[in-house]
Amino acid sequence: MLIRNNFFNDFFGDMFDDPFFNRGYAPQTQLMKTDIREKDGQYLLEIEVPGFTKDDVKAELKEGYLTITADRKEPVERADERTKYVRKERYYGTMKRTFYIGEEITENEIHAAFKDGILKIMIDKPQPKKIEEEKTIIPIEG
């Protein structure tokens, strides 16, 4: 029985180390993929945070930077001698993404919603400020 267990551990370990199973696997680059669109006077950010809940995700605006933070703790499992992980790929921990949106944007111009692992953030586009020309009368001597 011991030989058989070692065989299966080595077999699965070798199998998952094979480049075929690891093709394109770069967990840090796969997290928080974002699409940004412009529509109807707003910017729409759609940020993937799969496996996270609304309570795991936080959006913060500071000095023109919008920072999205997602934090997920690994569940505490009871010790079980019969179960052993061969591979763990699900992400636990904290990830963060920051976007510069400009200092003229306030929190009142940002709206967020979370559904099905997608965080949608709508940012009102800043309206161009009208510069009124001040006319100054220059006295003409003579």
Side-chain angles (χ1 to χ4, degrees):
M1 186 72 162
L2 183 59
I3 294 171
R4 182 179 172 137
N5 284 338
N6 285 337
F7 169 77
F8 281 108
N9 287 340
D10 290 342
F11 174 76
F12 283 111
D14 291 343
M15 181 177 74
F16 286 121
D17 287 337
D18 187 278
F20 174 80
F21 288 99
N22 290 308
R23 196 173 325 165
Y25 178 71
Q28 294 305 316
T29 61
Q30 300 297 322
L31 302 175
M32 295 185 98
K33 289 184 179 178
T34 304
D35 293 335
I36 302 174
R37 293 186 286 158
E38 182 181 347
K39 183 179 178 183
D40 299 330
Q42 289 186 324
Y43 292 109
L44 173 62
L45 284 74
E46 293 179 309
I47 304 168
E48 285 184 357
V49 280
F52 288 81
T53 66
K54 177 183 160 243
D55 295 331
D56 295 334
V57 179
K58 180 176 86 171
E60 178 183 14
L61 178 64
K62 184 177 181 182
E63 297 176 359
Y65 289 92
L66 177 65
T67 301
I68 311 303
T69 307
D71 184 35
R72 184 167 73 178
K73 306 282 189 252
E74 187 169 4
V76 178
E77 297 180 5
R78 293 184 338 174
D80 184 357
E81 294 177 8
R82 296 176 296 154
T83 303
K84 179 179 168 185
Y85 281 101
V86 175
R87 183 180 187 107
K88 278 183 104 168
E89 291 186 348
R90 289 185 291 164
Y91 182 83
Y92 296 100
T94 301
M95 59 181 164
K96 188 181 289 191
R97 184 109 190 241
T98 300
F99 303 91
Y100 183 76
I101 61 171
E103 294 186 25
E104 64 275 2
I105 302 289
T106 66
E107 65 274 359
N108 296 331
E109 298 165 305
I110 302 173
H111 312 282
F114 186 86
K115 184 177 179 184
D116 298 331
I118 304 289
L119 175 64
K120 290 185 180 182
I121 298 178
M122 289 75 61
I123 303 170
D124 295 338
K125 287 177 66 173
Q127 299 300 318
K129 294 179 182 176
K130 293 182 180 178
I131 301 174
E132 293 184 23
E133 295 182 26
E134 292 183 27
K135 295 181 180 179
T136 304
I137 304 294
I138 300 172
I140 301 175
E141 294 179 24

